[in-house]
Amino acid sequence: MGYYFISIGGSGAKVMESLTHLCNAGVMPNREKLNVLAIDPDVGNGNLERTSAALNNYDVFQNLEVGNDTPLFKTKVSLIKPFPWNPTEHDKNLDDLMGYQTCSGTPLGILYEVLYSRRERSTTLNEGFRGHPSIGAAVLARKYALPDENSVQWTEFIDKVRQDIGSGDDVKIFLAGSVFGGTGAAGIPTVARLLRNDLDKYKERVSLGCGLILPYFNFTVPEDETALFARSENFLTNTKAALKYYSQKENVFNRMYFVGDSLITPVKEFSPGATTQKNDAHIVDLYSALAAIDFFSQAADGSREFKYICRNESNRFMWNDFPPLREKTDNGEREFSLNERFVKFTRFIFAYVHMIKPVVRELAAGRLPAYQYPWFVDFLKDVDLNSAAVKNFEDYTESFVTWLRQLETAQGRDISLIKYSMFTDAPAKLTRPDDFKSCDGQETDLTLHELWYRISEPFNIDSSVNGFGKFLRRLYEACEVSTKV
């Protein structure tokens, strides 16, 4: 099976960020590689930048040898590069991209003037489609009809899909983006139709799914702001129109997931785009990423289903509010809960940033005697601690903690997953080490002292697992717990 994920716009990038962390935690259905394409004209978008950093860090350290019999880092991710795909050009507006000067005064040019306002036509698109999906749909469709050097990622994506099909694999492609903004609202239906057109020959082998993000945030626009941009007061109207469109006209998807929140979260600081647009992670992003995983888990039989996800309490999110996950094993398929894998991974990350990373840095600098740390002598004495893989893993742990803290502190929501009060996020470190044993609210027998003893004990594993990956595998396995009654 070939897995493909396409993020479209800022909301899609935030879903991709959550999906990256879930892949690292080992919750995908099997070990298939996940091919990732990001589409966003606002290449400097802060949300996309944060997601790209996590993915690029993972791209460097994901080949660490941890073994094939562990869920840790089991999903390999392949980025369609350059990453992301910008379907526009720098400092271009809609007139430039549509070639308006060549048809000005003609019937086609007059029709174009009727369809788009002067401001829509003259605003540069470096920061996205500004909440106007009609602009994005035209640009994306044009890039497909008139391919150029900016379309190389699309060509590479389609070629990868065809190669998978040629190898005998079925393919599942999941798109994620909002229905109420500009890039996602324009991109999801347009890209889906382009996929169906390009892959029509293989339609029985390709399944399309989408995660449609409904409104869950708003923002206040400065009074002196006159530029073209998305306005949150239009979100509900845009959503209503989009849902009507999907219910009546859009039938290219095998599976559709609608994810939103009845509680609207205010954005901390207004930004029309670029690096200042850094919206915090949200529970909606996590559910949308889980929707992608659910889609990848389903049989590619062309069936259509309608499902609802409910939670026990209206204003609180707990582990039992998430649907069960599935994975393939040597004996068939098994179900497991999200917290079964995610909490262990979280302990693993926090154990590293709080207990291991500071010691490793001091040992690498020669400021500590190695003999006091048996786990270092056993696993790391011959490892280059300044290698790209080690440094990128350490950078990734910081991004994971930042993401998790934002997720846990969503304004107005009680997110009862991991105790956010026990850790800082810059740099990542436990503020209350005694809470490590009960990081998800369940009392266990695993303290940091116990973990120290565990990783210092002999560890027998396949000889093919070595280097820094062997140590990470040891630390991960040592984070297994039994819950106290």
Side-chain angles (χ1 to χ4, degrees), residues 451-473:
L451 184 63
W452 182 278
Y453 289 124
R454 289 187 185 184
I455 61 175
S456 299
E457 294 174 346
F459 182 56
N460 296 320
I461 195 170
D462 189 330
S463 59
S464 65
V465 180
N466 53 53
F468 187 59
K470 184 175 182 179
F471 172 72
L472 293 182
R473 171 68 181 275

Side-chain angles (χ1 to χ4, degrees), residues 4-25:
Y4 292 81
F5 180 86
I6 303 177
S7 80
I8 305 177
S11 295
K14 293 178 72 217
V15 176
M16 183 165 56
E17 180 182 26
S18 291
L19 182 61
T20 301
H21 298 309
L22 292 176
C23 285
N24 288 347

Side-chain angles (χ1 to χ4, degrees), residues 352 356 375 379-380 455 467-475:
Y352 189 90
I356 304 301
W375 49 265
F379 298 103
L380 298 175
I455 61 175
F468 187 59
K470 184 175 182 179
F471 172 72
L472 293 182
R473 171 68 181 275
R474 179 68 184 111
L475 180 64

Side-chain angles (χ1 to χ4, degrees), residues 319 339 343 347 416-419 437-442 444:
W319 287 115
N339 58 310
V343 175
R347 286 195 180 92
S416 300
L417 304 179
I418 303 294
K419 292 181 177 179
K437 62 182 179 181
S438 57
C439 66
D440 63 338
Q442 300 295 314
T444 71

Side-chain angles (χ1 to χ4, degrees), residues 42 48 59 68 72 76 155 213 230 238 256-257 275 339 368 414 428 440 455 469 472:
D42 185 5
L48 180 59
D59 192 37
N68 291 326
L72 183 64
K76 305 304 181 185
T155 302
I213 315 302
N238 294 347
M256 303 173 71
Y257 300 80
T275 57
N339 58 310
L368 288 175
D414 179 5
D440 63 338
I455 61 175
L472 293 182

Side-chain angles (χ1 to χ4, degrees), residues 185-203:
I188 287 183
T190 305
V191 171
R193 288 196 299 273
L194 298 181
L195 286 168
R196 284 300 186 197
N197 289 340
D198 271 347
L199 301 171
D200 182 66
K201 180 179 177 182
Y202 314 101
K203 57 185 176 182

